[in-house]
Amino acid sequence: NLFRFFDHNPVGYLAAILSTQKQRTGDLAADTRVIRSQWNLRRLAAILVIFGIIAGLGYFGINNKDNFIRQERIIRVGPWQLPDLPSRAKYLLGLRLKVSQFFFGKPSAPIRDTEPMYAPGEIVYLSTEISGFIVKDEYIWLQQDLLVLNPQGEALIDMLNVVNKKYPAPASGRQLITSSFLLPLRLPAGSYIVKAKLRDRYGNMIGEADNKFLVQ
């Protein structure tokens, strides 16, 4: 262990590469060496148990609402500050808002059709129910962007910050937010896709949802 400083940097790896018995500097000092043994069930079971424990700790750590990533805490090691994880990395780790519902219409009059139909020039109302956000001082802070794609997959409407608002923390753990956009007057008929990207401004997490509608 006295040689860990040398072993955990290029010096240790270089020593292992140059050594005929794959010895690092610490191995040379302790007279230990690497040997190759055949696989057996006991060895395989031990590896599976270790990976199971690591996966379990990782799962519960990521889903802990007070973990340092969700809380955006700054971690310093001496004079160095560890960089924050990018939003995409957090999304892949499962640190995201959960979109339980994403439907057309107002909350008081939702449209449950698979593909609701609109005419050019109409206002399209959207409602999004989400959970998994961070609460600070009894408030949550949510932001939403909207992207509408035409039948050819091209961007028709790209709206940022359609919603950017603080809400009192709901007791149910779910928040319903509403938004809307106006369809252009000259719009060809066909199937359109609306995509919503949501952000938890307190937890620095994102969530995504999409739905289809028809223009007659």
Side-chain angles (χ1 to χ4, degrees):
N1 287 331
L2 295 176
F3 284 83
R4 288 293 182 187
F5 174 79
F6 301 100
D7 288 342
H8 288 171
N9 63 54
V11 173
Y13 293 103
L14 181 62
I17 292 172
L18 297 176
S19 171
T20 57
Q21 296 179 316
K22 303 295 184 260
Q23 292 173 294
R24 299 167 295 143
T25 52
D27 292 321
L28 293 169
D31 195 24
T32 57
R33 65 207 66 200
V34 176
I35 62 172
R36 189 180 300 277
S37 62
Q38 293 185 351
W39 282 89
N40 54 47
L41 290 178
R42 183 177 179 183
R43 183 177 175 187
L44 178 61
I47 292 176
L48 292 176
V49 168
I50 291 172
F51 276 104
I53 293 173
I54 293 173
L57 291 174
Y59 175 81
F60 288 110
I62 288 174
N63 287 277
N64 178 9
K65 64 181 181 64
D66 295 321
N67 69 42
F68 71 93
I69 298 176
R70 288 179 183 268
Q71 295 293 335
E72 295 187 283
R73 293 174 181 168
I74 297 174
I75 298 178
R76 295 182 182 275
V77 180
W80 296 283
Q81 178 179 322
L82 296 183
D84 187 29
L85 282 178
S87 296
R88 187 60 184 172
K90 293 181 180 181
Y91 186 83
L92 294 175
L93 285 172
L95 299 171
R96 67 190 73 170
L97 293 169
K98 181 180 180 182
V99 181
S100 53
Q101 292 190 78
F102 181 56
F103 58 89
F104 294 95
K106 300 179 181 179
S108 57
I111 301 174
R112 300 299 185 185
D113 298 340
T114 304
E115 287 188 81
M117 188 170 293
Y118 294 91
E122 275 194 88
I123 296 176
V124 178
Y125 292 93
L126 292 165
S127 292
T128 313
E129 186 180 68
I130 59 177
S131 59
F133 35 72
I134 296 299
V135 178
K136 283 188 179 181
D137 300 324
E138 299 184 356
Y139 279 88
I140 60 175
W141 186 2
L142 303 175
Q143 186 258 338
Q144 184 187 59
D145 301 333
L146 290 178
L147 175 65
V148 181
L149 303 177
N150 64 16
Q152 289 74 41
E154 301 168 339
L156 174 69
I157 299 173
D158 192 355
M159 302 172 65
L160 302 177
N161 285 320
V162 178
V163 176
N164 192 352
K165 182 180 178 182
K166 291 183 179 180
Y167 300 86
S172 63
R174 297 173 181 270
Q175 179 64 44
L176 188 69
I177 62 176
T178 58
S179 55
S180 63
F181 59 89
L182 178 66
L183 293 175
L185 289 175
R186 294 182 179 181
L187 199 61
S191 179
Y192 290 73
I193 298 176
V194 56
K195 294 177 175 286
K197 177 174 284 188
L198 301 117
R199 292 182 181 85
D200 177 7
R201 302 302 298 272
Y202 283 146
N204 195 19
M205 295 179 293
I206 62 176
E208 295 175 328
D210 60 78
N211 211 335
K212 294 182 179 181
F213 65 94
L214 294 174
V215 172
Q216 60 183 358

